[in-house]
Amino acid sequence: MARLHLFDLDGTLLHGTTAPVEISRQLGREAETVALDRAIAEGRIGPPQYATQVYDLWADLTEAHVSAAFEAAPWLARIREVWAAIRGAGDYCAVVSLSPSFFVERLLGWGAHAAHGSRFPAVPFAEPVDPAGVLSAAAKVTIADRLCEEFGVSRADCVAYGDSLSDKELFAAVPVSVAVNADGHLAGLATYSYIGRDLWDAYELVTPVR
């Protein structure tokens, strides 16, 4: 039976940072976004409030800024190699993130079968962000179920990779999980734990599980 590998983005594929912080860095608004990241991590605001506030910081955002952020971001090593190996084994890989879809979907070009993020307007913004399109931790499970149906697998065939509170519900829903450079929210939940900057080493933890 094929497996579905589900990857978080912020703090997982990106080392020690988030897509919004990297985007904001291009606009000189990094400090404000780090503060928002801290607020959502501590539960002081929820995903819709976060999205609305970060959207306001990005009034001057262009595609050039997004491209520069994507290229300069501190990605883990060998992401594309891992996804090529997953494809070669007949398995599937997807990215499911609370970060903006216009950033997350760029990972389709690296070999992901699917990439889902919070729905933001097209860049440059000509309309407000719709809070209804902003993903939550629970939405990650919903999307995982939808992808299972699309790829003809079940939750029992899923492997989740994540680092924080937003991954907790998904980790509880699937049988195999890898905490990647994780914080305390995933303590005791993950099947495996990896600390480092090479996704291949995290992937190798689960390759014997068939």
Side-chain angles (χ1 to χ4, degrees):
M1 175 65 71
R3 289 190 299 175
L4 170 59
H5 297 257
L6 299 157
F7 295 90
D8 172 55
L9 173 63
D10 301 320
T12 303
L13 298 178
L14 288 174
H15 185 266
T17 188
T18 66
V21 167
E22 295 307 304
I23 293 166
S24 294
R25 195 189 309 277
Q26 300 297 320
L27 298 167
R29 310 303 296 269
E30 176 186 358
E32 295 97 315
T33 310
V34 168
L36 288 176
D37 277 8
R38 188 176 303 115
I40 194 170
E42 294 172 357
R44 290 185 279 115
I45 61 173
Q49 293 80 16
Y50 179 97
T52 299
Q53 292 182 51
V54 80
Y55 169 89
D56 290 339
L57 295 177
W58 294 344
D60 300 322
L61 188 65
T62 66
E63 276 292 334
H65 290 129
V66 179
S67 294
F70 189 89
E71 293 300 323
W75 299 99
L76 291 192
R78 295 199 284 181
I79 294 173
R80 280 169 279 200
E81 288 85 348
V82 168
W83 291 351
I86 288 171
R87 282 177 170 270
D91 292 339
Y92 302 96
C93 52
V95 183
V96 185
S97 170
L98 274 59
S99 276
S101 53
F102 61 74
F103 190 95
V104 179
E105 289 169 2
R106 287 172 175 257
L107 289 167
L108 293 170
W110 285 14
H113 287 92
H116 293 272
S118 293
R119 290 198 308 273
F120 270 65
V123 177
F125 299 144
E127 56 189 88
V129 62
D130 181 0
V134 177
L135 300 188
S136 63
K140 286 191 171 187
V141 179
T142 301
I143 291 171
D145 285 340
R146 190 187 315 150
L147 290 171
C148 283
E149 183 175 353
E150 179 181 344
F151 297 131
V153 300
S154 70
R155 282 192 189 181
D157 307 308
C158 289
V159 182
Y161 304 74
D163 76 303
S164 65
L165 181 61
S166 71
D167 304 299
K168 191 171 182 178
E169 292 190 40
L170 185 58
F171 272 40
V174 304
V176 180
S177 55
V178 184
V180 179
N181 298 314
D183 62 25
H185 289 105
L186 300 183
L189 282 178
T191 313
Y192 303 99
S193 181
Y194 171 72
I195 298 175
R197 302 194 64 163
D198 191 330
L199 188 63
W200 189 273
D201 294 336
Y203 171 63
E204 280 194 325
L205 295 173
V206 303
T207 49
V209 182
R210 298 300 297 184

